[in-house]
Amino acid sequence: QQQVKQSPQSLIVQKGGISIINCAYENTAFDYFPWYQQFPGKGPALLIAIRPDVSEKKEGRFTISFNKSAKQFSLHIMDSQPGDSATYFCAARNGGSQGNLIFGKGTKLSVKP
Amino acid sequence: DAGVIQSPRHEVTEMGQEVTLRCKPISGHDYLFWYRQTMMRGLELLIYFNNNVPIDDSGMPEDRFSAKMPNASFSTLKIQPSEPRDSAVYFCASSLAASTEAFFGQGTRLTVV
């Protein structure tokens, strides 16, 4: 119940295309769903996050779509650029007073020029 | 603020030796997390602290692992004795509160030979 399942494991997209990464969870107590971006040799950095009271959040070329009933959420990267090539992690946090994030296993995105 | 600072960046040690990883969280952050990242298992939460008190250490793999946070500005993760399977990148992260963004350090790449 504590898992967050992420797919695909790797993704290759042409420049200008749309990258889509999906995540699913079981624990309905999760109340915060961030996406992190990690470049080689660096720590993960927050990209965008959503709470379950909204179905979509957009920041520039990055959009999270959230389906509470299906317990799924996804990251869409519009007009993908080579600079977006990185590993992306979805995550979920336990509600209440707990603060720990549960991460998906990551998706390695390569955007070809 | 310089962000979360981890040291060393790289550590190579022989099996059986003691290894100590260090972390300085962002000033004012109440939560500190230790994660381990491997290709096989992704990002795993090892332990986290709130106001210097360990809250959940269920992710610590074995008694060989221990973590301390003697004050708000310093934490250590110790492995004694180290084994080759401990080879991974270890990340420290901190956040202001349970419901806010977690900031990651650059990680310590540990290699046990």
Side-chain angles (χ1 to χ4, degrees):
Chain A
Q1 251 212 342
Q2 288 294 88
Q3 284 187 328
V4 177
K5 295 183 179 179
Q6 182 172 347
S7 63
Q9 194 171 7
S10 62
L11 182 61
I12 300 174
V13 173
Q14 289 295 125
K15 179 183 175 181
I18 302 173
S19 303
I20 301 174
I21 304 171
N22 301 298
C23 284
Y25 64 98
E26 290 294 325
N27 189 345
T28 55
F30 290 154
D31 67 349
Y32 174 66
F33 301 87
W35 284 88
Y36 279 77
Q37 180 188 54
Q38 184 180 27
F39 293 104
K42 303 292 186 182
L46 180 66
L47 184 65
I48 186 173
I50 197 168
R51 297 192 187 275
D53 52 348
V54 299
S55 60
E56 185 175 282
K57 183 173 181 181
K58 184 175 181 179
E59 290 183 1
R61 297 183 294 108
F62 300 91
T63 299
I64 300 178
S65 296
F66 187 84
N67 186 329
K68 189 174 181 178
S69 60
K71 291 186 280 188
Q72 295 175 347
F73 58 110
S74 59
L75 176 69
H76 292 64
I77 305 174
M78 310 300 288
D79 187 27
S80 299
Q81 299 296 312
D84 298 330
S85 297
T87 300
Y88 292 81
F89 295 92
C90 62
R93 175 156 51 207
N94 281 309
S97 61
Q98 298 183 51
N100 57 302
L101 287 170
I102 310 297
F103 283 87
K105 295 215 170 166
T107 296
K108 187 173 182 179
L109 171 66
S110 296
V111 181
K112 300 299 184 185
Chain B
D1 201 314
V4 176
I5 299 173
Q6 290 186 246
S7 64
R9 289 293 313 277
H10 302 274
E11 176 81 37
V12 180
T13 190
E14 290 185 347
M15 182 173 64
Q17 296 298 306
E18 177 180 296
V19 174
T20 300
L21 311 182
R22 297 173 176 79
C23 175
K24 182 181 188 310
I26 293 173
S27 177
H29 280 193
D30 293 333
Y31 283 80
L32 183 139
F33 308 86
W34 281 102
Y35 286 90
R36 178 171 67 177
Q37 185 175 37
T38 60
M39 289 294 293
M40 289 296 294
R41 300 173 70 90
L43 270 166
E44 301 175 276
L45 177 68
L46 300 177
I47 184 172
Y48 77 96
F49 297 82
N50 179 21
N51 291 321
N52 314 337
V53 176
I55 302 301
D56 184 353
D57 65 354
S58 60
M60 297 285 263
E62 300 170 35
D63 291 344
R64 298 184 296 107
F65 286 69
S66 62
K68 294 181 180 179
M69 192 165 186
N71 57 62
S73 60
F74 184 65
S75 176
T76 59
L77 178 67
K78 185 178 292 187
I79 308 172
Q80 165 63 19
S82 57
E83 296 182 4
R85 61 193 167 117
D86 302 330
S87 297
V89 181
Y90 291 80
F91 286 103
C92 175
S94 71
S95 67
L96 186 60
S99 58
T100 60
E101 175 183 357
F103 292 82
F104 282 75
Q106 298 230 53
T108 295
R109 180 174 293 278
L110 173 65
T111 303
V112 184
V113 298

